[in-house]
Amino acid sequence: MPKTGEVSASVIKRLPRYYRFLGELMKQGVERISSRELALRMKLTASQIRQDLNCFGGFGQQGYGYHVEGLHEQIGRILGVDKTLDTILIGAGNLGRAIASHINFESRGCRLTGIFDTNERIIGLKVAGLTVMHNDDLEAFCKEHKPGMAVLCIPKANTQKVAEQLVKLGVKAFWNFSHYDLSIDYEDIAVENVHLGDSLLTLTYRVNHMGE
Ligand code: NAI
């Protein structure tokens, strides 16, 4: 399998979508699919699909297409859903609580093991089956449980400091919802910045330029 650096960011970005579509096909009882049919459903081109999957050695067979369950499993393995990455969440406010409660971490190769906040009124509350802890306990927790990933749901102004502390404590990946670009500061750390507002703006652009 190629190293992460050898696969383009755009291919990596498309993999979760392949995984999701193939999972849906499995639920519909589809056993095999041609790249043409998959392309039609995903609104991609067949050659794009073949090129993407060739980055990992290709999984199709001439005249057969793709075995849906097999491809789903292999893409899952590439994404790492068969692993268990211990994950903590910082900031148990409205967004943090929604993410902790509604994202299925385990089906995506992660396990939420700790939730932290600094607000005394929130500490001690149960969220997604976990008791919210104070940031003061972060160091001891990380030393004991060694989480590899952190979800950041805290205000922008506090993000850098918390991220620096977590990097020192061994966190290697951030799912970052705070509006602060961490990748600038940490080259060796994997960061996925999520801006729901950007997605909305993309939509408003499309609505406002319809028919041009
Ligand atoms: P909120 O105010 O409900 O929750 C923020 C929580 O973070 C509070 O419980 C607060 O006590 C805690 N907190 C603050 N500093 C902390 C620190 N250093 N360590 C641990 N906990 C800390 O706000 P909400 O609505 O949950 O949003 C959280 C952040 O996410 C905001 O900065 C907001 O701008 C951002 N946001 C980002 C979105 C995105 O698409 N990326 C969407 C919505 C909000």
Side-chain angles (χ1 to χ4, degrees):
M1 202 183 289
K3 295 188 185 114
T4 319
E6 292 165 3
V7 178
S8 77
S10 50
V11 175
I12 296 169
K13 255 210 144 78
R14 281 195 288 275
L15 285 182
R17 193 159 170 256
Y18 285 123
Y19 187 69
R20 183 162 46 83
F21 265 79
L22 290 161
E24 280 163 18
L25 289 172
M26 274 165 63
K27 280 188 203 142
Q28 291 161 21
V30 179
E31 285 178 14
R32 68 172 174 163
I33 192 160
S34 65
S35 46
R36 202 171 143 265
E37 175 65 23
L38 187 58
L40 270 176
R41 290 183 184 236
M42 294 186 65
K43 296 197 177 3
L44 294 169
T45 66
S47 76
Q48 166 115 78
I49 289 181
R50 283 194 295 267
Q51 263 177 37
D52 283 354
L53 299 180
N54 275 344
C55 292
F56 303 96
F59 303 109
Q61 282 170 39
Q62 196 80 37
Y64 178 89
Y66 297 104
H67 180 250
V68 172
E69 194 178 341
L71 184 58
H72 183 259
E73 195 187 314
Q74 299 203 53
I75 292 179
R77 216 174 296 141
I78 292 165
L79 288 168
V81 301
D82 54 334
K83 302 202 174 85
T84 307
L85 182 63
D86 280 352
T87 301
I88 54 175
L89 185 142
I90 317 291
N94 293 310
L95 184 64
R97 286 202 296 268
I99 288 172
S101 307
H102 298 294
I103 294 289
N104 186 339
F105 283 89
E106 304 210 346
S107 71
R108 294 173 173 100
C110 309
R111 177 173 57 196
L112 197 58
T113 55
I115 302 181
F116 295 85
D117 205 290
T118 47
N119 183 338
E120 296 293 346
R121 276 181 298 167
I122 290 180
I123 289 146
L125 293 182
K126 278 253 180 211
V127 175
L130 298 167
T131 304
V132 179
M133 291 174 271
H134 196 285
N135 271 24
D136 288 350
D137 299 328
L138 203 47
E139 187 170 339
F141 183 92
C142 290
K143 283 184 176 156
E144 186 180 347
H145 299 282
K146 302 191 173 30
M149 184 153 88
V151 186
L152 301 180
C153 301
I154 53 178
K156 183 177 176 174
N158 303 350
T159 306
Q160 166 125 16
K161 200 168 158 226
V162 170
E164 270 170 13
Q165 184 190 9
L166 292 173
V167 168
K168 282 188 194 132
L169 291 169
V171 171
K172 294 268 176 266
F174 291 93
W175 196 23
N176 177 31
F177 286 84
S178 66
H179 296 304
Y180 178 84
D181 196 351
L182 284 175
S183 57
I184 295 166
D185 305 291
Y186 308 110
E187 275 179 15
D188 294 339
I189 302 290
V191 178
E192 188 64 27
N193 295 303
V194 184
H195 297 288
L196 297 176
D198 287 4
S199 172
L200 180 58
L201 275 179
T202 309
L203 184 63
T204 56
Y205 173 88
R206 287 172 58 193
V207 170
N208 289 314
H209 291 79
M210 268 176 184
E212 279 178 9

